Amino acid sequence: MKKFNDPDFLLETETAKDLYHNHAAKMPIIDYHCHLIPQMVAENKKFESIAQIWLMGDHYKWRAMRSNGIDERFCTGKDTTDWEKFEKWAETVPYTFRNPLYHWTHLELKTAFGIEERLNPETAKAIYEKCNEMIKNEDRFCPRGMMEHYNVEVVCTTDDPADSLEWHKIVKEDPTAKTRMLPTWRPDAGMNIEAATWVEYIKKLSAVAEMPITNFAELTAALQKRHDFFETMGCKLSDHGIEEFYDEPYTEAEIDTIMKKALAGEAITKEEERKYKHAYMYEQGKMDYASGWTQQYHYGAIRNNNSKMFAKLGPDTGFDSIGEFTTAKAMSHFLDELNSNGTLAKTILYNLNPCANEVIATMLGNFQDGSVAGKIQFGSGWWFLDQKDGMEKQMNALSVLGLLSRFVGMLTDSRSFLSYPRHEYFRRTLCNLLGNDIEAGLVPFDGYEKERVYQMVEDICYNNAKKYFNF
């Protein structure tokens, strides 16, 4: 029986062990999409407990705890202590067998704190106290220290166009900061015209851009002004969280009329919403191309399903799920529109429903143009697919229908500074996948091809991303 979480965790063959230990493990981390709070990095926040690092904002853990019958006050409540929250998480951990949370939890304890003891109700108090003592006395458990510990070279946060980026500026100008923190352009708030907060957001954007926004041309100009500012701060990527792609035909006059209605507080139709979103996304795509950025599209989530809890806690608190959308044609039309006009930027497509794996993998080949290796990318397994099975399925689809060798690899998509072992988890999964193929005689492993495999692993773990994003 193989021991849990030993040095060869997830590695089933000698070849996989060679690929991981001698090639994947040594590569630095480029975390090109995350949801870290920039202020925490700039101020190098001193955490008070492992519960604060682990459970604050982690809706993955909250979902598991709720499913285990844990009361909400131990997830998001303000009337419970750090220890009480941690204790309830420890109580839940043994019930997460076969869930990636079990693996992540113990990889994080091992790689950050050197704790190989498994977390459960019997060990919880001792682990909590040991972690807290280390957090109290060692600087490496501050945000920058954790990044340095995991050899993180670049992190890209997720930022609204109206953001001042003041915290990024502090880190950028700090010669002691060893990890680069770059902003990512996330313009969803201006796109979601159906949201109750849209009018107030447009007012906010108008104030920050120091110009009126009464029609679509002015909105586009204001966004372009902010886009230019983000570029001066080192931004290399945009990111768009969309339910689906939009390709409804529109004229600028129609979009002006739709905006006028929305700004006046009048209801707009679903068709008008989709026309506006199409126009908005198209203009964003053109801006990204002109700046040489990479555009990312995360699509397919049904968000905020539980209206009662949304009213109580707000978004991103663990009440989202995989959606079913027929979006392949709209995606194709949207990418083709940008491509036909010579403004299709480097693009990463992330699907949340695994039934679209082959759809995405075949879509890539339609718009590769030879200008950049892997110009159109199939993003790593995202959100609910961010686990061994999901990552393997994504890589298998990409391998069969595209070029896995040109894949830009893993990202955390996380709000936690202890999530970097997800890169290790991905790298072990990648090496095991390749190792099994080599052992089965499906990939040659001698002469030139052996070095090609080694290079492939190092490229997917680090080199491809560094080159692709121009870091």
Side-chain angles (χ1 to χ4, degrees):
M1 181 186 299
K2 194 173 186 298
K3 184 181 177 183
F4 171 74
N5 202 23
D6 69 1
D8 297 325
F9 180 56
L10 297 178
L11 306 174
E12 299 172 337
T13 64
E14 291 304 312
T15 304
K17 296 172 189 177
D18 174 29
L19 295 178
Y20 177 73
H21 293 299
N22 297 319
H23 297 276
K26 68 181 181 181
M27 305 308 290
I29 287 174
I30 290 178
D31 197 30
Y32 57 89
H33 176 67
C34 71
H35 296 277
L36 297 177
I37 299 173
Q39 183 176 353
M40 289 186 177
V41 180
E43 297 178 341
N44 208 21
K45 177 181 172 61
K46 185 74 174 177
F47 294 99
E48 296 176 3
S49 74
I50 177 65
Q52 290 185 9
I53 301 177
W54 245 7
L55 298 172
M56 183 174 61
D58 193 337
H59 52 82
Y60 286 84
K61 291 186 178 75
W62 295 344
R63 284 173 69 98
M65 291 166 74
R66 291 167 186 146
S67 296
N68 199 41
I70 303 297
D71 190 272
E72 186 64 31
R73 57 195 291 263
F74 297 102
C75 300
T76 59
K78 292 180 171 55
D79 63 338
T80 46
T81 65
D82 287 356
W83 160 245
E84 289 172 321
K85 289 182 171 71
F86 184 87
E87 183 180 30
K88 291 300 182 181
W89 169 238
E91 180 183 311
T92 299
V93 167
Y95 291 86
T96 64
F97 290 157
R98 304 201 81 243
N99 185 299
L101 283 166
Y102 195 82
H103 292 165
W104 295 344
T105 293
H106 292 95
L107 280 172
E108 289 168 21
L109 284 174
K110 180 179 179 179
T111 59
F113 298 95
I115 295 173
E116 299 196 36
E117 196 171 11
R118 293 186 293 276
L119 180 61
N120 57 52
E122 295 178 357
T123 62
K125 192 67 174 179
I127 289 176
Y128 183 74
E129 291 176 349
K130 181 175 181 179
C131 289
N132 288 353
E133 185 68 18
M134 295 174 73
I135 289 168
K136 178 182 177 181
N137 295 314
E138 298 182 36
D139 289 342
R140 69 185 178 94
F141 292 100
C142 293
R144 297 192 198 182
M146 286 184 271
M147 291 176 177
E148 291 171 24
H149 174 71
Y150 285 110
N151 197 17
V152 181
E153 191 172 280
V154 181
V155 292
C156 296
T157 58
T158 304
D159 310 281
D160 186 90
D163 197 300
S164 68
L165 303 186
E166 59 189 293
W167 307 112
H168 294 81
K169 187 173 187 291
I170 289 172
V171 175
K172 182 180 181 181
E173 295 176 352
D174 186 347
T176 68
K178 296 180 180 178
T179 299
R180 293 174 68 193
M181 181 174 73
L182 303 178
T184 296
W185 175 263
R186 179 75 174 243
D188 296 358
M191 183 185 72
N192 294 330
I193 194 169
E194 78 285 6
T197 54
W198 183 80
V199 174
E200 284 305 310
Y201 177 77
I202 295 301
K203 292 178 182 177
K204 178 181 179 181
L205 180 63
S206 174
V208 172
E210 299 179 324
M211 59 177 294
I213 300 177
T214 61
N215 56 42
F216 192 61
E218 290 175 348
L219 173 60
T220 302
L223 288 165
Q224 182 67 68
K225 190 173 182 180
R226 299 302 298 167
H227 200 276
D228 293 342
F229 168 64
F230 268 59
E231 187 163 15
T232 68
M233 294 299 294
C235 185
K236 300 287 187 182
L237 300 98
S238 70
D239 183 59
H240 309 265
I242 56 177
E243 276 197 351
E244 50 185 315
F245 284 84
Y246 308 97
D247 67 340
E248 283 73 11
Y250 65 88
T251 64
E252 187 162 330
E254 285 181 299
I255 304 305
D256 285 344
T257 300
I258 294 167
M259 281 189 62
K260 184 177 180 180
K261 287 175 63 177
L263 287 168
E266 298 177 27
I268 61 171
T269 67
K270 195 67 179 177
E271 182 181 7
E272 288 173 330
E273 175 192 327
R274 295 178 67 90
K275 284 176 181 284
Y276 171 82
K277 288 183 175 181
H278 178 194
Y280 188 95
M281 285 174 56
Y282 178 67
E283 294 300 324
Q284 296 300 301
K286 291 197 299 182
M287 290 181 200
D288 291 346
Y289 177 82
S291 296
W293 293 3
T294 297
Q295 57 185 2
Q296 302 174 92
Y297 295 100
H298 287 85
Y299 84 95
I302 303 178
R303 298 176 186 270
N304 308 316
N305 293 265
N306 188 327
S307 57
K308 177 182 176 181
M309 294 306 289
F310 176 69
K312 181 179 180 180
L313 300 174
D316 303 320
T317 50
F319 299 97
D320 311 304
S321 58
I322 293 172
E324 291 181 307
F325 302 96
T326 305
T327 196
K329 280 190 176 182
M331 181 196 308
S332 174
H333 292 164
F334 177 73
L335 296 175
D336 186 57
E337 180 180 24
L338 288 168
N339 189 60
S340 296
N341 292 321
T343 55
L344 179 59
K346 290 178 289 186
T347 302
I348 307 179
L349 302 169
Y350 305 85
N351 59 293
L352 194 55
N353 194 323
C355 74
N357 281 350
E358 283 73 19
V359 171
I360 297 293
T362 56
M363 190 65 69
L364 310 181
N366 298 330
F367 300 103
Q368 308 287 17
D369 60 12
S371 63
V372 177
K375 177 179 177 178
I376 314 299
Q377 288 275 332
F378 184 2
S380 182
W382 166 49
W383 203 342
F384 298 112
L385 308 183
D386 181 13
Q387 27 76 11
K388 183 176 182 291
D389 180 65
M391 291 188 291
E392 286 177 344
K393 287 177 178 176
Q394 182 268 347
M395 287 190 281
N396 281 330
L398 177 57
S399 299
V400 171
L401 301 167
L403 296 180
L404 181 64
S405 296
R406 294 300 188 179
F407 180 31
V408 294
M410 185 58 173
L411 57 146
T412 62
D413 192 27
S414 175
R415 291 167 172 79
S416 171
F417 292 96
L418 276 184
S419 289
Y420 297 111
R422 294 185 192 181
H423 282 264
E424 176 180 337
Y425 194 63
F426 166 82
R427 292 174 179 187
R428 288 175 179 271
T429 301
L430 166 68
C431 292
N432 191 60
L433 203 64
L434 289 170
N436 285 340
D437 277 358
I438 290 166
E439 297 273 346
L442 299 175
V443 174
F445 199 56
D446 55 12
Y448 174 87
E449 285 74 18
K450 186 173 185 178
E451 294 305 315
R452 172 86 279 281
V453 171
Y454 287 152
Q455 188 64 57
M456 177 183 182
V457 169
E458 294 180 11
D459 286 348
I460 294 170
C461 293
Y462 171 76
N463 296 325
N464 286 347
K466 185 167 187 176
K467 185 176 181 180
Y468 183 80
F469 298 118
N470 296 322
F471 289 142

